[in-house]
Amino acid sequence: MSLRALIFDVDGTLADTERDGHRLAFNAAFRDAGLDWDWDVGTYGRLLDVTGGKERMRHYVEHHRPAVLRTPDLGARIAALHAAKTRHYGELLATGALPLRPGVARLLLEARTAGLRLAIATTTTPENVTGLLRHSLADDAPSWFDVIAAGDIVARKKPAPDVYLHALECLRLTAPECIALEDSENGLRASLAAGIATVVTCNDYTRGQDFTGAVSVLESLGEPDLPARCVSGRRPQRDYVTLDDLRRWVDAAT
Ligand code: XBP
Ligand code: MG
């Protein structure tokens, strides 16, 4: 079946947003609230096993701040912290501090030019997606995507397949007509469970995770002057991943 759409994960895939983005925004929200919580780089890496900011905070409370579990309306408290975190994150995005990863803008433009459709399937909050696209790609970039499936739009976050299934439904396409781009094991489990062939571009937080089932695992999508190191699976024809590579890989997978 021929390739009709590219479905991108956001955090870690479009940009390295976690360590110097979301993590700092969480810590700023904790400080604002007078909490002495501080997620260092290592702690945050472990917390990333839990997808979703609100879910991540609840997990942290359950495992590291059990006394806080007695807080009345804990859900509302977490929601308020998360809203503050989202504000801080938006401010950070507006500074342009979180650039897209190598090859992302190139591949998006190539796909658009070729008439392929674009979609997003992510765990993060919708405004974080549009903010990143606007400030790190182009002001009108959110409109390049037919579907932005994000955050609480589905009840079960990755590694459940729900957000990918939702994106497929909105695109009115079947899984074999699409390819997913992910950076993490949780993301890969989600896209594969939805039946979508998946390319993984790993990063400092996800390198070493189990990417069994991925079509190709690379260090990045690469650029002509910045070769993409292939870790396992299919190799791009050049030093960087092109639309032709994705088409071939999808054809071979179906
Ligand atoms: C990554 C996530 C998100 C972000 C935080 O999702 O797990 O939870 O860390 O975003 P993906 P929120 O890789 O699927 O984009 O705080 O807005 O949940
Ligand atoms: Mg991700």
Side-chain angles (χ1 to χ4, degrees), residues 9-12 18 22 26 44 48 50-56 82 85-86 121-125 128 157-158 182-184:
D9 167 51
V10 173
D11 295 303
E18 294 291 7
H22 290 293
F26 279 112
Y44 191 67
L48 279 175
V50 182
T51 58
K54 294 187 287 294
E55 293 81 353
R56 190 169 299 144
H82 192 252
K85 176 261 169 178
T86 300
T122 176
T123 293
T124 203
T125 303
N128 297 346
K157 293 184 174 163
K158 299 175 188 176
E182 272 287 354
D183 72 301
S184 70

Side-chain angles (χ1 to χ4, degrees), residues 110 130 179 251:
E110 201 189 344
T130 47
I179 194 160
D251 283 347

Side-chain angles (χ1 to χ4, degrees), residues 82-248:
H82 192 252
K85 176 261 169 178
T86 300
R87 275 196 302 280
H88 281 290
Y89 185 69
E91 285 166 17
L92 205 63
L93 287 176
T95 67
L98 298 170
L100 298 185
R101 294 189 65 190
V104 170
R106 175 182 55 73
L107 196 60
L108 286 170
L109 290 169
E110 201 189 344
R112 254 165 79 76
T113 306
L116 265 79
R117 299 171 68 199
L118 299 173
I120 294 283
T122 176
T123 293
T124 203
T125 303
E127 62 215 78
N128 297 346
V129 184
T130 47
L132 178 72
L133 292 172
R134 268 202 199 102
H135 295 293
S136 302
L137 184 53
D139 208 33
D140 68 338
S143 70
W144 301 5
F145 294 81
D146 286 352
V147 180
I148 297 184
D152 298 327
I153 189 108
V154 290
R156 295 185 313 159
K157 293 184 174 163
K158 299 175 188 176
D162 303 29
V163 73
Y164 276 102
L165 295 172
H166 180 79
L168 289 177
E169 200 179 305
C170 295
L171 286 167
R172 295 181 187 280
L173 292 176
T174 61
E177 296 173 293
C178 301
I179 194 160
L181 294 102
E182 272 287 354
D183 72 301
S184 70
E185 185 176 339
N186 275 328
L188 176 67
R189 297 274 82 81
S191 54
L192 290 183
I196 306 171
T198 305
V199 172
V200 171
T201 49
C202 58
N203 54 52
D204 286 347
Y205 270 138
T206 66
R207 193 172 295 115
Q209 291 183 347
D210 181 1
F211 295 129
T212 305
V215 169
S216 176
V217 181
L218 305 119
E219 289 281 342
S220 77
L221 294 172
E223 295 284 16
D225 59 350
L226 196 70
R229 203 178 76 76
C230 184
V231 179
S232 62
R234 311 275 293 194
R235 291 176 181 279
Q237 261 172 346
R238 302 181 190 175
D239 283 343
Y240 51 96
V241 178
T242 65
L243 200 52
D244 266 354
D245 292 313
L246 300 186
R247 288 191 206 277
R248 274 187 301 109

